[in-house]
């Protein structure tokens, strides 16, 4: 029973499911019925479903049939009506066909017009489209035409900008046209063309700058010179009312020896033409002379093209090459100042250009690059100047070179370049300048000394007197009181030498100008150079004059007088240096002038030369001596040569009145001693193998003449009989033989108050042998007893001579 209930429940569920599926089939679109049917086949009751489906279909067929039966009459009526309408429709069709035929016939012209209108509208549309397209293409063509024009006029940087606009703004809008593709293909070529042309302009610029660096440098140095002149004027204005003369006024004499030349100007397309201007007109700036636009254009072009680094490397490389060329001095640069000026102008021009490039471009050159170039330039310039300046022998050229170097350094210092090494090098050139000055002044001193007449300067009027005193610091109250005409004690070379020493100091001071040295350094430099002038140059000149073969005693005496006055003037030279350097001599480390020593040495050399010259003159007179040593006649007067000699000595010593007393006395004593010694040698000469007492008497007369000259006091200041002592040896020797006082000589020899104390036994023996030889040959006229006494008395003297030549031993033998 339960099974039956369960079966009945299942059949009810199945029926309900089949009913749902049927409703779904009826209400669902045919395309979506598949899932519904699948659910039927998935179940187990599809047979029963088919039965229900057949039942449902029969039900619907019965409903359709009922509906058709219900509307059949209406359908028949509709068919009847439709048949009627067909006839009317045929009529209407015929009318429409006729109307259409008529319309086609009537509208044929309209259709043609419409076709023409259609073609016009089409053409209008095409034209409008063409105009639109051309409006897009025209800016491109205009920009391209503008680009070509800019290329032709060499406006490369605007051309590059136009090319950029053309490529990025205009061409993309019409890129599908063939001509645009041609343009696009030409753009890289145009860029390369612009790049090459701008580089060519840069090369032309660099070549022009290389050729005209000297013009740029000349202008820059003119500006620096003008600025320095203005600064000097400003500095000098507060000192207008000052009583002290400026250094510049002190240079007036020396300035006349300095000549300057102006460099020639050049012109080129890369340099703006500038006419020569007067000193009082404004000099254009160095940058105003140069057109830097090629550099700027090329830099911008390469920057836009992304090749700035390439451009920078190329520019720096080329400028380094040009720097090496500029720094190579010409081989003959040392011959003229223009050679140095052109060399400096080129260097200044080079660095003025680089400095301008540094400050007007960003990164094309940097400070490290400029400093590197300057270090190279500084080392090469200093080396070149050291080499070429060493060839300069003209102090004026060296001074001009120094001024040019200072201007060169000041110009570059304005542009921020360190120039301390140049000023250090100038200190080296200063030593060379001093050497050239010393050589020049050696010639000046030589000319002064050679042209001097070595006579006191005659003065005939007050004007001449003041002129000489104005040239040389001399004060003598006695001379001032004397009436005209009168004479200065010194000759013309004294004021000339004194003024030339001052000129030398001016020249040394001239070199120290603008070297940024302290007053102490300038003072030290001047004093050291002046000491060299005095101790070396002037001293050598004086020594050469003194040592000349044809120098006379008068000249030597005048040289002594001159050097005495020059020695006194050294203190005025000290004051002169102090006045122009403003450094007191009491300052620590101040160098002292050695002029006093120089003139003392020259005076001593002149004194020695006087002594030597006097002795030579005496020897020349003695060469005229012609004694007849075998004569038996007794003379009554002195020999002629000796009389002339004494007269010469008197006149010579009369010139010594202006000499210092000691010098005159020494010269006189030296002459008398030399005369006595020469007479002694003449008497004892080996060639005189024998002599007579008559000859000895004549010789005695000559000696008496000499003694008379000594007693006459040819030079004041000698004590009584002091000068006669020069002839004491001769006098005692002659007295011994003429008086034949051998007993006294032998008895008193060796005693402090011996009568013949100055007679040397050897000398006496030599003379005795000559006289004894004469006696042996029987040529004497003396009595026999005297002859015997003469031969016997000095036997012990001759014996002593055979064993010893000392006088004391001979006296003991006696």
């Amino acid at each position: 029973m339960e099974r039956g209930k369960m079966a009945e429940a299942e059949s009810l569920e199945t029926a309900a499911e089949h009913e749902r599926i049927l409703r779904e089939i009826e209400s669902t679109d045919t395309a979506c019925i598949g899932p519904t049917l699948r659910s039927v086949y998935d179940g187990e009751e599809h047979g029963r479903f088919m039965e229900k489906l057949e039942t449902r279909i029969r039900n619907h067929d019965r409903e359709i049939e009922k509906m058709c039966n219900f509307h059949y009459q209406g359908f028949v009526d509709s068919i009847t009506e439709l048949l009627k309408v067909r006839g009317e429709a045929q009529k209407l069709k015929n009318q429409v066909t006729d109307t259409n035929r008529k319309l086609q016939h009537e509208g044929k012209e309209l259709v043609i017009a419409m076709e023409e209108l259609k073609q016009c509208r089409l053409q209008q549309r095409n034209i409008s489209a063409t105009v639109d397209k051309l409006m897009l293409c025209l800016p491109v063509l205009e920009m391209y035409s503008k680009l070509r024009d800019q290329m032709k006029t060499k406006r490369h940087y605007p051309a590059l900008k136009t090319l950029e606009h053309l490529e990025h703004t205009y061409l993309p809008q019409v890129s599908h046209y063939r001509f645009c593709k041609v343009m696009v293909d030409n753009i890289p070529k145009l860029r390369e063309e612009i790049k090459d042309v701008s580089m060519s302009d840069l090369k032309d610029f660099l070549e022009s700058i290389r050729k005209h660096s000297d013009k740029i440098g000349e202008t820059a140095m003119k500006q620096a010179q003008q600025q320095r002149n203005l600064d000097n004027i400003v500095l000098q204005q507060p000192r207008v009312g000052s009583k002290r003369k400026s250094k510049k006024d002190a240079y007036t004499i020396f300035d006349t020896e300095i000549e300057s030349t102006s460099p020639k100007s050049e012109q080129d397309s890369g340099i703006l033409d500038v006419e020569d201007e007067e000193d009082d007109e404004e000099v254009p700036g160095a940058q105003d002379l140069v057109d830097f636009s090629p550099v700027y254009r090329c830099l911008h072009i390469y920057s836009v093209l992304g090749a700035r680094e390439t451009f920078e490397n190329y520019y720096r490389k080329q400028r380094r090459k040009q720097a090496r060329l500029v720094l190579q001095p010409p081989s003959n640069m040392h011959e003229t100042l223009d050679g140095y000026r052109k060399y400096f102008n080129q260097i200044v021009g080079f660095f003025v250009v680089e400095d301008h490039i540094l400050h007007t471009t960003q990164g094309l050159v940097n400070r490290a690059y400029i400093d590197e170039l300057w270090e190279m330039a500084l080392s090469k310039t200093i080396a070149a100047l050291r080499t070429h300046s060493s060839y300069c022998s003209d102090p004026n050229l060296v001074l001009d070179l120094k001024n040019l170097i200072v201007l060169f350094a000041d110009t570059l210092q304005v542009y921020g370049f360190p120039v301390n090494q140049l000023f250090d090098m100038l200190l080296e050139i200063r030593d060379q300048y001093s050497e050239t000055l010393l050589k020049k002044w050696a010639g000046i001193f030589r000319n002064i000394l050679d042209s001097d007449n070595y006579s006191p300067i005659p003065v005939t009027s007050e004007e001449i007197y003041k002129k000489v005193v104005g040239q040389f610091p001399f004060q003598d109250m006695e001379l001032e009181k004397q009436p005209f005409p009168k004479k200065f004690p010194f000759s013309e070379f004294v004021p000339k030498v004194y003024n030339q020493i001052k000129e030398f100091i001016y020249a040394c001071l001239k070199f120290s100008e603008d070297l940024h040295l302290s007053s102490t350094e300038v003072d030290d430099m001047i004093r050291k150079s002046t000491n060299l002038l005095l101790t070396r140059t002037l001293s050598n000149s004086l020594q050469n004059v003194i040592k000349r073969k044809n120098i006379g005693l008068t000249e030597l005496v005048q040289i002594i007088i001159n050097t005495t006055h020059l020695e006194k003037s050294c203190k005025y030279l000290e004051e002169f240096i102090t006045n122009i350097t403003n450094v007191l001599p009491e300052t620590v480390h101040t160098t002292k002038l050695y002029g006093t020593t120089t003139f003392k040495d020259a005076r001593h050399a002149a004194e020695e030369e006087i002594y030597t010259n006097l002795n030579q003159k005496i020897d020349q007179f003695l060469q005229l001596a012609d004694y007849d040593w075998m004569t038996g006649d007794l003379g009554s007067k002195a020999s002629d040569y000796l009389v002339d000699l004494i007269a010469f000595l008197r006149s010579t010593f009369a010139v010594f009145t202006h000499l210092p007393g000691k010098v005159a006395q020494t010269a006189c004593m030296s002459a008398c001693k030399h005369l006595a010694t020469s007479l002694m040698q003449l008497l004892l000469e080996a060639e005189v193998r024998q002599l007579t007492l008559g000859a000895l008497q004549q010789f005695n007369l000559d000696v008496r003449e000499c003694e008379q000259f000594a007693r006459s006091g040819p030079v004041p200041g000698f004590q009584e009989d002091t000068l006669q002592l020069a002839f004491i040896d001769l006098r005692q020797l002659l007295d011994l033989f003429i008086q034949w006082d051998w007993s006294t000589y032998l008895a008193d020899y060796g005693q402090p108050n011996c009568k013949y104390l100055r007679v040397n036994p050897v000398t006496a023996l030599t003379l005795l042998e000559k006289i004894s030889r004469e006696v042996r040959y029987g040529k004497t006229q003396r009595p026999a007893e005297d002859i015997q006494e003469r031969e016997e008395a000095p036997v012990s003297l001759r014996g002593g001579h055979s064993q010893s030549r000392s006088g004391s031993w001979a006296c003991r033998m006696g």
Side-chain angles (χ1 to χ4, degrees):
M1 188 174 180
E2 291 178 359
R3 290 181 180 175
K5 290 181 178 179
M6 291 178 63
E8 186 178 357
E10 290 178 0
S11 63
L12 291 173
E13 292 177 0
T14 301
E17 181 64 21
H18 288 171
E19 187 63 26
R20 185 188 64 77
I21 291 172
L22 289 173
R23 286 196 303 271
E24 187 174 347
I25 290 172
E26 292 174 347
S27 59
T28 304
D29 189 6
T30 306
C32 299
I33 200 171
T36 304
L37 295 177
R38 186 173 185 83
S39 63
V40 174
Y41 284 101
D42 288 341
E44 297 179 356
E45 299 294 336
H46 58 278
R48 294 179 64 186
F49 176 76
M50 291 301 295
E51 292 177 356
K52 284 192 174 185
L53 182 58
E54 287 293 336
T55 303
R56 183 61 61 88
I57 290 171
R58 286 192 296 273
N59 290 336
H60 282 295
D61 287 342
R62 282 193 295 275
E63 291 179 358
I64 292 171
E65 185 178 358
K66 286 181 181 180
M67 186 174 293
C68 287
N69 290 333
F70 178 76
H71 294 287
Y72 179 73
Q73 189 59 40
F75 176 73
V76 173
D77 296 338
S78 297
I79 290 298
T80 302
E81 292 292 330
L82 185 62
L83 290 173
K84 293 179 180 180
V85 170
R86 186 177 64 180
E88 296 294 331
Q90 187 63 37
K91 291 179 181 179
L92 181 60
K93 177 180 178 182
N94 292 334
Q95 291 177 355
V96 170
T97 301
D98 293 339
T99 302
N100 179 58
R101 186 175 58 253
K102 293 177 181 178
L103 182 62
Q104 289 295 330
H105 179 71
E106 296 293 336
K108 186 174 182 180
E109 294 180 0
L110 180 61
V111 170
I112 294 172
M114 290 298 295
E115 285 295 331
E116 292 176 356
L117 179 61
K118 178 181 177 182
Q119 290 297 325
C120 289
R121 291 288 177 86
L122 180 61
Q123 290 177 359
Q124 184 181 11
R125 186 168 62 249
N126 291 339
I127 291 172
S128 178
T130 302
V131 170
D132 293 339
K133 297 301 182 182
L134 287 176
M135 293 301 293
L136 289 176
C137 294
L138 280 177
V140 177
L141 297 174
E142 289 175 355
M143 291 296 288
Y144 193 78
S145 177
K146 180 180 178 182
L147 174 63
R148 282 300 182 183
D149 292 339
Q150 290 172 340
M151 293 287 288
K152 289 181 181 179
T153 56
K154 296 183 178 182
R155 299 171 58 204
H156 302 115
Y157 182 66
L160 190 61
K161 289 294 184 183
T162 303
L163 187 61
E164 292 295 322
H165 286 295
L166 181 64
E167 182 181 15
H168 297 98
T169 305
Y170 294 98
L171 285 178
Q173 299 176 5
V174 291
S175 58
H176 53 284
Y177 295 110
R178 187 171 57 185
F179 77 91
C180 293
K181 294 180 180 179
V182 175
M183 290 184 181
V184 170
D185 294 339
N186 284 336
I187 285 176
K189 297 179 182 178
L190 291 173
R191 281 202 177 95
E192 287 299 321
E193 182 180 353
I194 292 173
K195 188 176 179 181
D196 294 341
V197 173
S198 63
M199 180 57 71
S200 177
D201 291 344
L202 176 67
K203 291 179 180 178
D204 294 341
F205 169 80
L206 292 176
E207 181 65 19
S208 178
I209 286 295
R210 186 186 69 81
K211 291 181 179 179
H212 297 86
S213 291
D214 57 342
K215 177 62 179 177
I216 301 169
E218 176 190 350
T219 304
M221 292 179 74
K222 276 186 178 179
Q223 285 183 316
Q225 181 66 54
Q226 284 188 349
Q227 184 60 45
R228 191 166 67 177
N229 293 340
L230 290 174
D231 294 341
N232 291 337
I233 292 174
V234 172
L235 291 175
Q236 290 175 2
Q237 282 179 350
R239 296 181 293 176
V240 170
S242 177
K243 294 183 179 179
R244 178 186 292 275
K245 292 184 178 180
S246 65
K247 295 180 184 178
K248 190 170 183 179
D249 295 334
Y251 301 149
T252 303
I253 299 176
F254 192 71
D255 284 342
T256 59
E257 301 178 3
I258 300 174
E259 297 179 356
S260 60
T261 57
S262 59
K264 298 180 180 179
S265 60
E266 300 180 10
Q267 297 177 347
D268 190 43
S269 58
I271 308 298
L272 301 181
D273 296 339
V274 177
E275 297 181 354
D276 294 337
E277 300 179 354
E278 299 296 333
D279 293 340
D280 56 350
E281 295 181 359
E282 183 180 358
V283 178
Q287 294 81 3
D288 298 334
L289 300 176
V290 185
D291 180 15
F292 288 94
S293 57
V295 180
Y296 302 147
R297 285 197 302 268
C298 198
L299 175 62
H300 290 313
I301 288 170
Y302 271 75
S303 299
V304 172
L305 295 178
R308 180 187 178 99
E309 184 176 355
T310 303
F311 174 76
E312 290 177 358
N313 293 336
Y314 175 81
Y315 177 85
R316 295 182 184 183
K317 181 179 179 181
Q318 293 302 315
R319 290 298 279 169
R320 279 195 181 93
K321 290 181 180 179
Q322 291 186 357
R324 292 188 179 94
L325 291 176
V326 167
L327 295 171
Q328 186 68 31
S331 58
N332 60 343
M333 182 175 71
H334 59 278
E335 295 178 358
T336 61
L337 188 65
D338 284 340
Y340 290 103
R341 183 179 286 112
K342 186 173 182 180
Y343 180 62
F344 289 145
N345 287 342
Q346 289 179 344
I347 296 175
V348 171
F350 178 88
F351 283 100
V352 166
V353 171
E354 290 306 292
D355 181 77
H356 186 75
I357 292 293
L358 174 67
H359 290 91
T360 55
T361 61
Q362 295 181 351
L364 178 56
V365 295
N366 52 33
R367 177 53 64 182
Y369 161 80
I370 296 293
D371 291 343
E372 177 188 352
L373 282 181
W374 175 241
E375 287 297 326
M376 177 186 70
L378 199 58
S379 61
K380 289 184 177 293
T381 302
I382 291 175
L385 289 176
R386 282 174 177 162
T387 301
H388 286 269
S389 64
S390 63
Y391 300 137
C392 295
S393 57
D394 182 7
N396 293 337
L397 180 58
V398 178
L399 182 61
D400 290 341
L401 175 59
K402 166 258 171 184
N403 293 329
L404 197 59
I405 294 174
V406 170
L407 180 59
F408 170 72
D410 290 345
T411 303
L412 288 170
Q413 193 172 28
V414 171
Y415 290 91
F417 295 99
V419 293
N420 291 334
Q421 294 185 41
L422 287 173
F423 284 101
D424 293 340
M425 186 204 60
L426 281 174
L427 298 181
E428 300 176 14
I429 296 181
R430 178 190 64 186
D431 299 333
Q432 178 189 347
Y433 176 69
S434 297
E435 289 298 323
T436 57
L437 283 181
L438 292 175
K439 291 179 181 179
K440 177 180 178 180
W441 257 258
I444 293 174
F445 288 145
R446 183 169 57 251
N447 294 334
I448 291 174
L449 296 176
D450 290 344
S451 62
D452 193 60
N453 58 8
Y454 294 95
S455 300
I457 301 175
V459 182
T460 58
S461 63
E462 184 71 22
E463 181 181 356
I464 298 176
Y465 184 88
K466 290 182 179 180
K467 181 180 178 181
V468 175
V469 173
Q471 293 176 348
F472 182 74
F474 177 76
Q475 293 180 352
D476 189 341
M477 299 303 297
E478 295 183 0
L479 183 62
E480 290 181 6
K481 294 177 181 178
Q482 293 179 10
F484 292 101
K486 52 188 175 182
K487 293 182 179 180
F488 284 97
F490 46 81
S491 66
E492 290 183 355
F493 97 62
V494 171
K496 289 182 179 179
V497 167
Y498 181 79
N499 285 326
Q500 285 301 324
I501 295 174
K502 293 173 66 176
E503 289 299 316
F504 180 86
I505 294 173
Y506 284 138
C508 293
L509 185 64
K510 191 77 173 176
F511 191 89
S512 65
E513 189 179 24
D514 299 322
L515 290 186
H516 310 299
L517 299 175
S518 64
S519 299
T520 305
E521 291 174 320
V522 173
D523 182 85
D524 184 67
M525 181 199 75
I526 292 176
R527 289 177 182 272
K528 287 181 178 179
S529 299
T530 307
N531 279 332
L532 285 176
L533 178 74
L534 295 173
T535 59
R536 193 172 75 185
T537 305
L538 181 56
S539 177
N540 290 340
S541 299
L542 290 172
Q543 293 292 339
N544 292 335
V545 172
I546 293 171
K547 298 297 182 182
R548 280 192 310 208
K549 292 182 180 180
N550 59 347
I551 189 76
L553 288 173
T554 305
E555 288 86 347
L556 291 172
V557 170
Q558 191 62 54
I559 289 174
I560 293 176
I561 296 171
N562 291 349
T563 52
T564 301
H565 288 282
L566 286 173
E567 180 183 350
K568 295 177 181 179
S569 69
C570 287
K571 63 179 181 179
Y572 297 103
L573 291 175
E574 290 269 7
E575 295 176 359
F576 176 71
I577 295 176
T578 300
N579 289 336
I580 63 176
T581 61
N582 296 324
V583 177
L584 298 177
E586 295 80 10
T587 306
V588 181
H589 305 305
T590 298
T591 305
K592 303 299 180 183
L593 289 184
Y594 301 146
T596 303
T597 305
T598 298
F599 297 124
K600 281 183 179 179
D601 293 342
R603 187 165 63 254
H604 292 160
E607 293 171 3
E608 292 296 329
E609 196 65 23
I610 285 177
Y611 306 151
T612 303
N613 201 317
L614 269 177
N615 294 340
Q616 291 175 352
K617 289 291 184 180
I618 292 172
D619 292 339
Q620 291 175 4
F621 276 101
L622 289 175
Q623 289 176 2
L624 301 176
D626 187 17
Y627 287 102
D628 183 6
W629 298 109
M630 303 304 297
T631 184
D633 299 333
L634 299 177
S636 60
K637 63 177 182 178
S639 302
D640 293 339
Y641 86 91
L642 192 67
V643 173
D644 294 339
L645 173 59
I646 296 300
F648 165 76
L649 291 177
R650 290 184 186 278
S651 62
T652 299
F653 291 133
V655 180
F656 288 10
T657 54
H658 293 291
L659 285 177
K662 184 178 179 181
V663 176
Q665 293 169 12
T666 304
C668 188
M669 178 60 76
S670 173
C672 290
K673 285 184 177 180
H674 183 73
L675 177 59
T677 303
S678 298
L679 289 173
M680 181 70 77
Q681 292 176 353
L682 188 64
L683 185 63
L684 301 176
E685 199 172 33
E687 295 179 358
V688 182
R689 301 182 58 84
Q690 55 186 352
L691 53 84
T692 63
L693 288 177
L696 200 62
Q697 286 288 353
Q698 180 61 46
F699 195 82
N700 183 52
L701 290 175
D702 293 343
V703 173
R704 289 186 182 280
E705 185 71 19
C706 294
E707 291 173 334
Q708 179 63 30
F709 167 73
R711 282 194 298 270
S712 66
V715 173
F718 282 111
Q719 295 181 359
E720 185 177 0
D721 297 337
T722 300
L723 196 57
Q724 296 182 58
L725 293 177
F727 302 97
I728 190 64
D729 293 354
L730 272 175
R731 171 48 49 210
Q732 291 185 7
L733 179 64
L734 291 174
D735 287 347
L736 174 63
F737 278 87
I738 292 174
Q739 297 176 10
W740 207 252
D741 196 8
W742 291 102
S743 57
T744 304
Y745 174 72
L746 295 174
D748 297 342
Y749 195 85
Q751 301 297 325
N753 54 355
C754 178
K755 180 180 180 180
Y756 302 104
L757 181 65
R758 307 297 295 269
V759 177
N760 191 315
V762 178
T763 303
L765 181 60
T766 302
L767 186 60
L768 180 63
E769 287 178 348
K770 294 182 179 184
I771 296 178
S772 298
R773 188 178 295 114
E774 175 241 333
V775 173
R776 284 194 297 271
Y777 289 114
K779 295 180 180 181
T780 181
Q781 301 298 324
R782 292 287 299 268
E785 60 273 14
D786 291 344
I787 296 173
Q788 184 178 5
E789 181 184 359
R790 187 192 312 167
E791 291 185 350
E792 293 177 355
V795 172
S796 60
L797 185 62
R798 290 205 285 279
H801 178 64
S802 64
Q803 300 184 34
S804 173
R805 300 186 67 87
S806 65
S808 60
W809 192 90
C811 288
R812 291 193 205 95
M813 288 292 294

